[in-house]
Amino acid sequence: MRPLQRLTVIVPVFNEAAGLPAFWARISAVLDTLADTVTGELLFIDDGSRDDSLAVIQALAMRDARVGYLALSRNFGKEIAMSAGLDFADGDWVVLIDADLQDPPELIPTLLAKAREGFDTVYARRAARLGEGLTKRATASVFYRLMGRLSRRVEIPADTGDYRVISRRAVLALRQIKERNRFMKGLFAWIGFPSAAVTYVRDPRSEGVSSFSLWRLWNFALDGITSFSTAPLKLATYAGMLVAMLAFVAGGFIILKTLIYGDPVPGFPTLMVTLLFFSGLQLLFIGVIGEYLARLFDEAKQRPLYLLKDQKVAGVRQPTTTAAPAVTQSRSTVAPTTQDF
Ligand code: UDP
Ligand code: MG
C-alpha cells in the first residue's frame, strides 16, 4: 500500500479564544473522516492575540498530537500569519482556513477530492455570505470587480476568500515570493498552475467579531491594488495629458480673445477654478505616487516578514525522519528566510 499523503491545515488566529475549541472539534471530526486517505495535522498561527488564544492552542496541542502551532511575536496581520504557516507547513496538501468557522471545515473533503483530479489550487467560492452587513458585501463586491479589471493578466477569482487547498508544488512556489506587502489572494493567482473552484455558503462568525473594520479593509484593498496594478499611475499620466491638452486649447482661446476684443481685466472666477482644479489634481496624484513609494520603502528595508516567540510542530512524525526541525523551540526563534527551505 502507498504511504498516506499528509495534509496540513493552516489556521491563522487572532483573538479567537472563545471559538477555538468548537473549531478544533469540527475540524478534527473532518480529519477523522479523511483518515484513510491522508494523515491530517493542524498548524495554528497565533498572530499575537491579546486574549487567551495561544493558551487555548497550547492546551489543544497537549491533548492532540495532530496539533502544532507557531506563535508570532506580535500581531502581523492575517496575510503574514498565513505566509508563516506556508513556510512551515510540509504536508503534501495544505489547507488555509479561518478559525471563526465562517469557512465550514466539512468542505475540505470536497476541496481535496477536486484537487486530486489534478489541480494545484482549489478555492472555495462564496455563493452567499450569511451574517455580513450590506456595506461589507457591497464594498467586497466592488473591490473584487475592480481588482478583476485592474489586473487582467493575473486573474484573481471574485468572491473568493483565502479558504482553499493547495498542492505542495504551489506552496513551494509561494515560499519564493519575498514581497512584504502581501496580498495573498493575488499571490495565489500570480503563481499560476491549474486551479478550480468549489462553491459554498459562507456562514456567519461563530464567536466574536470580525477584526477587519472598514478602515482596515480599505487599506487591504489599497495593498491589493497597488501590489497588482500600476493602473493608478497610468491614470495620473493620462489625466495629466488630458488636462495639459485642455489648458493648451484654453490658452489658444484666451490669446485669440485678447487679440480680437482687447484685455478688459478678465474674470477672477475662471482663475480661481483653474487654480483649484490643478492643485487638487496635483495633490491627488502626488498621493498616488506616494502610495507606491511607501511600498517601495517597505520592500527596501528588507526586514524579516515575521518573528516567532514560540512554536511546536505537530508530533505525528517518526523519530527516524530527522529532517524535521526540533519539536519544540521557544523564545525568539528568528523566522527562517525563504532561502532556508
Ligand atoms: N486574523 C489573523 N490576524 C489578524 C486578523 C485576523 O490571523 O490580524 C485571522 C482571524 O483569527 C480569522 C481570519 O484571520 O481566523 C479571518 O479574520 P476575520 O474573521 O476577522 O475576517 P473576516 O472573516 O471578517 O474577513
Ligand atoms: Mg471571519
Side-chain angles (χ1 to χ4, degrees):
M1 210 180 83
R2 274 191 315 139
L4 286 183
Q5 285 193 309
R6 283 178 40 218
L7 174 79
T8 311
V9 181
I10 297 179
V11 195
V13 171
F14 180 59
N15 298 346
E16 304 275 6
L20 277 176
F23 173 80
W24 172 80
R26 261 175 76 180
I27 195 128
S28 311
V30 173
L31 293 182
D32 288 341
T33 64
L34 283 170
D36 46 346
T37 56
V38 283
T39 25
E41 58 193 35
L42 292 165
L43 179 58
F44 287 99
I45 295 94
D46 175 52
D47 186 13
S49 295
R50 293 179 194 111
D51 64 0
D52 298 333
S53 295
L54 182 56
V56 174
I57 293 169
Q58 284 166 333
L60 289 175
M62 296 279 277
R63 256 169 72 187
D64 182 351
R66 293 179 299 189
V67 175
Y69 63 85
L70 303 172
L72 304 191
S73 60
R74 63 169 169 84
N75 180 240
F76 281 89
K78 185 186 178 192
E79 309 296 295
I80 290 184
M82 287 191 294
S83 307
L86 289 168
D87 282 345
F88 285 83
D90 49 4
D92 302 292
W93 299 101
V94 168
V95 167
L96 285 160
I97 190 170
D98 285 0
D100 57 5
L101 290 173
Q102 278 196 285
D103 308 329
E106 292 73 22
L107 196 68
I108 293 176
T110 320
L111 293 173
L112 192 62
K114 186 86 192 158
R116 284 186 159 149
E117 287 172 20
F119 296 101
D120 287 86
T121 311
V122 178
Y123 47 85
R125 177 177 278 146
R126 298 159 184 172
R129 295 163 159 241
L130 305 178
E132 288 184 1
L134 191 68
T135 359
K136 178 143 188 186
R137 292 200 314 261
T139 47
S141 159
V142 169
F143 171 67
Y144 285 122
R145 305 276 156 336
L146 187 69
M147 273 315 288
R149 279 292 183 84
L150 291 182
S151 53
R152 285 247 172 77
R153 224 166 327 142
V154 176
E155 244 175 77
I156 301 171
D159 303 320
T160 308
D162 298 309
Y163 189 22
R164 61 191 63 223
V165 57
I166 46 187
S167 68
R168 178 97 197 127
R169 174 166 83 158
V171 171
L172 294 179
L174 287 166
R175 281 185 194 165
Q176 290 178 38
I177 298 173
K178 297 191 180 72
E179 64 193 68
R180 260 124 259 273
N181 287 294
R182 307 192 136 240
F183 178 63
M184 292 305 283
K185 282 191 253 292
L187 300 181
F188 291 137
W190 183 88
I191 58 168
F193 296 129
S195 64
V198 164
T199 309
Y200 78 111
V201 175
R202 186 159 163 90
D203 295 328
R205 236 175 187 284
S206 64
E207 294 279 343
V209 288
S210 168
S211 34
F212 289 89
S213 58
L214 217 54
W215 175 244
R216 209 169 157 183
L217 282 173
W218 161 253
N219 283 308
F220 179 65
L222 219 58
D223 262 347
I225 291 168
T226 49
S227 51
F228 277 87
S229 165
T230 47
L233 287 175
K234 286 220 186 70
L235 188 69
T237 315
Y238 290 125
M241 257 154 64
L242 186 76
V243 167
M245 239 143 70
L246 287 177
F248 195 72
V249 172
F253 179 74
I254 289 168
I255 292 172
L256 219 70
K257 209 173 106 184
T258 319
L259 284 181
I260 298 169
Y261 301 106
D263 184 18
V265 191
F268 177 70
T270 347
L271 196 71
M272 209 50 201
V273 167
T274 345
L275 197 76
L276 287 177
F277 178 67
F278 280 105
S279 36
L281 203 68
Q282 280 168 3
L283 279 180
L284 175 70
F285 286 115
I286 288 177
V288 170
I289 294 169
E291 283 298 326
Y292 284 91
L293 192 68
R295 273 148 188 88
L296 217 61
F297 174 63
D298 270 352
E299 298 298 329
K301 283 184 289 195
Q302 289 285 314
R303 289 188 184 148
L305 208 54
Y306 53 85
L307 295 170
L308 299 182
K309 61 178 178 188
D310 194 6
Q311 76 178 98
K312 179 188 171 290
V313 175
V316 283
R317 250 155 255 146
Q318 281 84 34
T320 41
T321 53
T322 42
V327 171
T328 317
Q329 244 175 306
S330 51
R331 301 286 156 228
S332 30
T333 314
V334 176
T337 60
T338 29
Q339 287 110 320
D340 290 335
F341 286 86

